[in-house]
Amino acid sequence: MTGSPSSAATTTTAQDAVPPGAWRALLLVTLGFGVNFWAWALLSPLGPVYVEQGLAQDASLIVALPVLVGSLGRILMGGLSDRFGGHLMFPLVSLLTVIPVLFLGLVGQYSYSTLLLGGFFLGIAGTTFAIGVPFVNSWFPPAKRGMATGLYGVGMGGTAISAFTTVPLVDAAGSAAPFIVTAIALVLYAVLAWLFMPDAPTWKPSGKSMLSQTLLAMRQKVTWQACYLYALSFGGYVAFSVFLPTMLKNWYGLTTADASFRMAGFVIVAVIMRPLGGTLSDRIGAVRTLLISYVAVALAALMLAFQPALMPLGTIDFIVMAAGLGLGSGAVFALVAQAADPSVVGSVTGFVGAAGGLGGFVPPLVMAAIHAGSGSYSLGIVLLLIATLGAVVVTLFVGRGARRTAATV
């Protein structure tokens, strides 16, 4: 005898219920993501300062190296998170990040070589993204994972904290001040997370070897589709957040402080839109949400390629760009949460997160080279437009594949 509609509805409601402790876990892991991203972005606002001091002719490599290391490190960190859980990995990585932060603040920021050395290890902070996504997924039911991972993504606003505070702290209290403050925040967070951020009761460590987890993640089509989509969405966000101060100074003649504050505004818009991307993905589907985001990015890129006046059109274009990139960043991991094998979400997240970071590493170098050769960033913006149109095509293929899967079920 089949169950009644009311019993089926009750079962569905129970499956969609958020377990006790999930919201606290989400709050704490988001806080940790934000603090570590604050550390990860410390060098970006100071890039123009190091150029003015004569430490480097171009700050692109200084600000991009932590992005590269933090991106590639997510592949390893995602697999470790599947095995050891966020309760251990998040406090551990936060404490490890204190070492390069203090090194840079106290001794490393006074020569080009030590800036690169410190920046390399500062990339550890960027790997935390791959810890948080599987941690959040294990706490929330499938119907709410888009929303939950989107809210977790608000932690990327840590880059805005860096933008707002780094240069003012240097001006007010000396060049070491922002690094010391960030190190203290990392230590306090590590203690808080260890005491109050347990793994989900239903979470089980993966029994697969790291190699097996990696191979299984690589065999899933969604891994590679999401890699490209996230390289465009989050990579574009990272690229703008680390390079926008330099771009605004060179293209529009802004001061370092003004450029940093405008970059912070860009970050805030993207951060606000990311949870909306996850929530919309739960309601209208990740594919539709991604298409909306990429259309917005393409339109903004088309206008920016003509170097419009900063006020008002250029500012509007940058805001639309930030909104589109934030919306897409939230939708990509809603797609991962819906389509990836739960036992290797961490490993898939590692690959996708790495792609996103690499998408943020390459553009600043390309943009700097284009500007050095032509005196304009327009060609770089055109390349972004072409990449965005490619993301639209990939998204359409993902949607067609999802419809075929649904038709066979």
Side-chain angles (χ1 to χ4, degrees):
M1 200 174 163
T2 59
S4 66
S6 60
S7 63
T10 301
T11 301
T12 301
T13 302
Q15 291 174 343
D16 292 344
V18 177
W23 292 109
R24 184 183 67 184
L26 176 59
L27 174 63
L28 289 174
V29 77
T30 303
L31 176 64
F33 184 24
V35 172
N36 278 272
F37 256 45
W38 174 12
W40 196 38
L42 277 171
L43 294 180
S44 176
L46 295 174
V49 175
Y50 297 141
V51 173
E52 292 172 359
Q53 293 174 347
L55 295 177
Q57 291 185 338
D58 190 298
S60 298
L61 187 58
I62 293 173
V63 301
L65 189 58
V67 177
L68 175 64
V69 175
S71 304
L72 294 177
R74 291 174 186 176
I75 298 174
L76 173 63
M77 198 60 65
L80 290 173
S81 298
D82 283 334
R83 292 179 65 83
F84 299 109
H87 172 66
L88 171 65
M89 295 304 299
F90 233 114
L92 177 61
V93 172
S94 298
L95 290 176
L96 289 175
T97 300
V98 172
I99 299 172
V101 168
L102 288 179
F103 170 79
L104 284 166
L106 300 178
V107 299
Q109 61 174 314
Y110 305 110
S111 74
Y112 186 69
S113 59
T114 52
L115 274 170
L116 293 181
L117 177 63
F120 180 90
F121 288 101
L122 188 64
I124 294 170
T127 67
T128 51
F129 178 76
I131 304 173
V133 171
F135 178 85
V136 170
N137 277 352
S138 68
W139 270 105
F140 284 82
K144 299 185 184 298
R145 284 176 183 165
M147 173 271 299
T149 55
L151 289 172
Y152 168 67
V154 170
M156 70 186 190
T159 55
I161 299 176
S162 178
F164 278 123
T165 63
T166 300
V167 174
L169 279 172
V170 168
D171 292 340
S175 59
F179 298 91
I180 293 173
V181 170
T182 307
I184 293 172
L186 286 164
V187 172
L188 291 176
Y189 171 73
V191 173
L192 187 67
W194 180 255
L195 293 176
F196 301 108
M197 198 182 84
D199 291 307
T202 56
W203 177 80
K204 294 181 180 179
S206 173
K208 303 181 180 69
S209 67
M210 290 285 291
L211 179 60
S212 298
Q213 289 174 230
T214 301
L215 291 175
L216 180 56
M218 293 174 67
R219 285 197 293 267
Q220 298 197 46
K221 185 185 296 185
V222 68
T223 300
W224 304 110
Q225 293 169 332
C227 277
Y228 182 84
L229 299 177
Y230 202 58
L232 191 286
S233 296
F234 184 72
Y237 159 78
V238 171
F240 274 106
S241 67
V242 301
F243 194 70
L244 197 55
T246 300
M247 182 179 179
L248 290 173
K249 283 192 68 176
N250 291 339
W251 223 2
Y252 293 104
L254 301 184
T255 65
T256 299
D258 192 7
S260 294
F261 276 108
R262 288 177 184 270
M263 182 270 278
F266 182 97
V267 168
I268 289 171
V269 172
V271 167
I272 291 172
M273 294 302 293
R274 181 158 183 160
L276 178 61
T279 302
L280 278 178
S281 297
D282 287 338
R283 295 185 178 182
I284 67 174
V287 170
R288 290 179 181 175
T289 306
L290 286 168
L291 287 174
I292 293 170
S293 73
Y294 294 139
V295 168
V297 172
L299 291 174
L302 180 61
M303 295 300 296
L304 285 174
F306 293 97
Q307 192 181 347
L310 187 58
M311 293 299 293
L313 189 56
T315 298
I316 294 172
D317 283 342
F318 281 118
I319 291 173
V320 172
M321 178 74 72
L325 293 173
L327 194 71
S329 296
V332 169
F333 275 96
L335 180 68
V336 170
Q338 293 164 6
D341 183 336
S343 68
V344 290
V345 165
S347 296
V348 174
T349 298
F351 276 98
V352 177
L358 289 174
F361 171 77
V362 176
L365 301 179
V366 173
M367 294 287 276
I370 289 173
H371 186 267
S374 66
S376 173
Y377 293 110
S378 292
L379 178 57
I381 300 297
V382 170
L383 293 177
L384 171 61
L385 173 60
I386 294 171
T388 304
L389 295 177
V392 170
V393 174
V394 172
T395 302
L396 291 173
F397 273 105
V398 172
R400 187 170 69 176
R403 287 192 295 272
R404 285 178 178 175
T405 301
T408 60
V409 174

